[in-house]
Amino acid sequence: MDYEVVIGLEVHAELSTKTKIYCSCSTEFGGEPNTHCCPVCTGMPGALPVLNKKVVEYAVKAGLAMNCEIAKDSKQDRKNYFYPDLPKAYQISQFDLPLCYKGHLDINVDGIEKTIGITRIHIEEDAGKLNHDEYGGEALVDLNRACVPLIEIVSEPDMRSAQEAKAYVEKIKSILEYLEVSDCKMQEGSLRADVNLSIRKKGETKFGTRTETKNLNSFKAIVRSIEFEIDRQIKAVEKGEEIVQETRRWDDDRGIGYAMRGKEDAHDYRYFPEPDLSLIKLTDEYINNLRNSLPELPESRKQRYIKDFELPEYDANIITASKKLADLFDEAVKTSKNPKSISNWIMGDLTRMMSENNVEDVPFTGTDLAKLVGLIDNGKISSAIAKKVFEDMFANGKDPEKIVEEKGMLQISDEGAIKEIVMKVLENNPQSIADFKAGKDKALGFLVGQAMKESKGKANPQMLNKMFLDELNK
Ligand code: ADP
Ligand code: MG
Ligand code: ZN
């Protein structure tokens, strides 16, 4: 590889305020088309916007958590362009004086730490949505999303691979979730990224011409579109073609990117200060209050897990990356003496089943997970049975103790009952007895396996092992 890849991201996150940025309509996702609307968000002439204070609060929190400077004076501007889902024919955004600037985030890819600069974070309004009518071949406008508050987080061109870009967006997602300022549901479009990408020969100090691929709304799409675009640009340059600065789209079903339009520059938008809104002026006291109110963020939570629960850094990293998983862990360890086992269940079966079933929320409580681990640690159920109980908890959110009771899954640890099974298995397998006596230790494993089968996985394996040995050595 003679080329170096240069990536800068613009990440949009919808803020989870109850009402929109310039009116009191609901921000709730979905709903009958055009029912969360009023004269302001549908852009009626003469309607006046009023800035929602919560939007500023949420954006400043995001800025503080991402190590930004907060502007005490910032302003809102009109970004002029026409699009059918933008009834005013301009978007209120921030141009030269954004709310937050000069921040940074640390990412970790394959154990290597790296700092990614954040140029700015500004507030703006979202546009509506076009629904393309499959049958009539027409586009229908839904303005429920118009005026939903967004922050746009613009990075420096500091990333050098798809994996770094992914880690950076993951970090943003986890911080916004911890702050509870955005639900970050990528499949609903509440978190989406535009990827700016260029390549240059290794050792070159000037950046190459970039393209911008818009609106990527899954980690998979971010990674695949970057890999596609790197490949496309390298091939073009090798053929002696010039890279054209352009806006591109990514088709995730077909796995290809394609050019959408020539790239516009800032002056094409004819930005000017929004005359219907006053400057945003923040006091030191306001900013400091928000700074002091920030919740525990992923990094410090990770350190706490390593220190207080002796979790390996690997575990702590994975669990704290998701607020939902970290909250589950915190609740579980309140009543469990086995944090490492709790962590194993979360990192293993739980994350696997959540992604396989496309489930966003953990379907059971931390207390129930602690009970499951307790049942195993107290020898009440075997680990094979525990897997089945876990599946039931996942599907039905039921208390594991109830599941075990109702389904008669308790481990058999009764000497008499175990002995009965052992004797039966020995009687049916004389060859294995002979094998064992001839020095084939494997025969013991086979016998224990048969006994497990006989007991439908419920016999206590340590007891089985011991009793077989006692009998065979008689
Ligand atoms: P615009 O708003 O027109 O898209 P910006 O100057 O705000 O332009 O830059 C957008 C993003 O592009 C930033 O994240 C920045 O880091 C990135 N970027 C700028 N130049 C390059 C480049 N040559 N290669 C890759 N990314 C770049
Ligand atoms: Mg851009
Ligand atoms: Zn409205």
Side-chain angles (χ1 to χ4, degrees):
M1 281 290 275
D2 305 330
Y3 294 94
E4 179 178 52
V5 180
V6 174
I7 299 170
L9 295 184
E10 293 158 89
V11 175
H12 286 92
E14 275 181 2
L15 298 178
S16 49
T17 53
K18 286 208 172 57
T19 56
K20 293 184 177 180
I21 182 167
Y22 301 121
C23 63
S24 50
C25 294
S26 165
T27 55
E28 207 178 310
F29 178 77
E32 281 293 301
N34 301 306
T35 53
H36 304 163
C37 296
C38 73
V40 175
C41 56
T42 53
M44 293 297 148
L48 288 173
V50 178
L51 177 60
N52 181 345
K53 267 191 189 172
K54 272 277 173 215
V55 170
V56 177
E57 182 187 316
Y58 283 12
V60 170
K61 278 188 173 176
L64 290 169
M66 297 182 200
N67 309 295
C68 288
E69 312 269 332
I70 307 300
K72 293 208 302 193
D73 294 288
S74 74
K75 78 178 202 312
Q76 295 164 90
D77 302 274
R78 286 189 185 180
K79 181 180 184 183
N80 298 284
Y81 63 100
F82 173 78
Y83 207 71
D85 62 11
L86 188 74
K88 297 196 294 283
Y90 60 82
Q91 176 192 26
I92 306 178
S93 179
Q94 295 194 283
F95 182 49
D96 53 339
L97 294 175
L99 205 49
C100 319
Y101 58 99
K102 267 199 228 155
H104 63 86
L105 283 182
D106 294 332
I107 59 165
N108 187 311
V109 175
D110 298 332
I112 297 166
E113 286 270 343
K114 181 168 173 179
T115 299
I116 307 298
I118 290 178
T119 318
R120 55 188 279 157
I121 303 178
H122 65 254
I123 55 171
E124 60 185 25
E125 57 181 339
D126 209 343
K129 238 184 203 165
L130 288 184
N131 292 321
H132 297 279
D133 176 7
E134 299 174 44
Y135 306 106
E138 302 179 43
L140 305 170
V141 183
D142 176 7
L143 294 176
N144 283 354
R145 198 179 69 177
C147 247
V148 165
L150 291 175
I151 47 174
E152 176 173 337
I153 306 161
V154 182
S155 85
E156 291 292 307
D158 286 345
M159 285 155 275
R160 295 290 175 269
S161 68
Q163 288 313 315
E164 287 185 9
K166 177 170 178 246
Y168 169 77
V169 180
E170 278 172 349
K171 194 69 183 253
I172 288 180
K173 181 170 188 278
S174 118
I175 289 176
L176 296 178
E177 283 172 355
Y178 272 65
L179 294 172
E180 296 181 336
V181 299
S182 172
D183 66 19
C184 295
K185 287 187 181 158
M186 295 182 91
Q187 73 283 14
E188 289 181 5
S190 356
L191 187 75
R192 45 193 203 257
D194 303 341
V195 172
N196 296 271
L197 189 150
S198 62
I199 57 165
R200 62 182 172 187
K201 275 259 156 70
K202 281 204 173 139
E204 174 67 69
T205 50
K206 272 196 356 223
F207 286 144
T209 304
R210 71 180 149 124
T211 62
E212 177 174 1
T213 304
K214 287 252 180 216
N215 277 327
L216 299 161
N217 65 353
S218 73
F219 288 111
K220 195 176 117 228
I222 291 171
V223 170
R224 290 171 76 213
S225 68
I226 289 175
E227 283 166 355
F228 176 94
E229 184 59 11
I230 294 172
D231 192 54
R232 188 191 71 85
Q233 289 193 15
I234 291 178
K235 282 191 179 133
V237 169
E238 296 273 283
K239 273 194 273 180
E241 289 168 14
E242 261 193 42
I243 303 295
V244 185
Q245 184 170 328
E246 64 192 2
T247 301
R248 300 176 63 85
R249 278 257 166 88
W250 171 248
D251 182 332
D252 203 41
D253 295 327
R254 292 193 292 159
I256 53 166
Y258 57 93
M260 183 161 75
R261 57 170 191 255
K263 166 94 182 114
E264 49 293 283
D265 287 311
H267 61 250
D268 295 327
Y269 289 115
R270 296 293 189 272
Y271 278 99
F272 65 83
E274 168 58 60
D276 291 337
L277 290 163
S278 52
L279 296 179
I280 303 170
K281 288 190 170 285
L282 305 180
T283 62
D284 284 323
E285 192 193 0
Y286 174 86
I287 297 168
N288 283 332
N289 281 343
L290 287 179
R291 196 189 304 277
N292 295 331
S293 78
L294 291 183
E296 184 185 37
L297 292 168
E299 189 55 38
S300 55
R301 200 139 166 187
K302 179 178 121 189
Q303 296 310 331
R304 179 162 68 80
Y305 286 2
I306 295 171
K307 192 166 154 280
D308 293 0
F309 302 109
E310 293 175 355
L311 280 197
E313 185 170 354
Y314 178 81
D315 294 37
N317 249 329
I318 292 182
I319 293 178
T320 56
S322 153
K323 178 166 190 289
K324 283 171 188 158
L325 297 184
D327 285 349
L328 181 77
F329 179 84
D330 269 342
E331 195 195 324
V333 293
K334 271 188 208 157
T335 49
S336 174
K337 293 183 192 72
N338 194 343
K340 178 58 185 148
S341 180
I342 297 285
S343 152
N344 289 347
W345 279 102
I346 293 178
M347 293 195 306
D349 293 67
L350 179 61
T351 26
R352 180 179 52 77
M353 287 178 69
M354 282 175 76
S355 86
E356 277 174 11
N357 297 290
N358 239 332
V359 170
E360 287 265 338
D361 295 310
V362 182
F364 49 76
T365 65
T367 314
D368 282 347
L369 182 58
K371 280 186 188 172
L372 178 71
V373 167
L375 286 168
I376 307 163
D377 291 350
N378 297 329
K380 295 251 169 65
I381 57 173
S382 65
S383 45
I385 292 287
K387 291 246 177 207
K388 290 192 184 142
V389 176
F390 185 83
E391 278 168 23
D392 210 348
M393 285 167 69
F394 188 89
N396 307 309
K398 274 170 72 178
D399 179 335
E401 287 171 357
K402 289 224 171 70
I403 297 171
V404 166
E405 197 183 298
E406 280 168 20
K407 299 204 167 163
M409 288 166 147
L410 274 189
Q411 180 157 277
I412 304 171
S413 300
D414 173 72
E415 290 246 355
I418 296 269
K419 178 135 194 180
E420 211 171 287
I421 299 166
V422 165
M423 296 318 282
K424 185 171 170 196
V425 169
L426 285 174
E427 204 177 296
N428 293 337
N429 296 282
Q431 186 58 47
S432 299
I433 302 174
D435 288 349
F436 183 83
K437 301 220 157 158
K440 290 187 191 157
D441 290 343
K442 265 198 196 155
L444 176 65
F446 175 77
L447 289 167
V448 172
Q450 291 304 104
M452 271 315 234
K453 226 189 236 170
E454 179 70 29
S455 72
K456 301 201 175 64
K458 291 190 291 187
N460 180 321
Q462 287 83 24
M463 288 180 72
L464 277 181
N465 224 34
K466 181 167 179 301
M467 205 167 286
F468 270 119
L469 275 176
D470 289 349
E471 290 300 322
L472 289 166
N473 289 327
K474 259 187 190 166

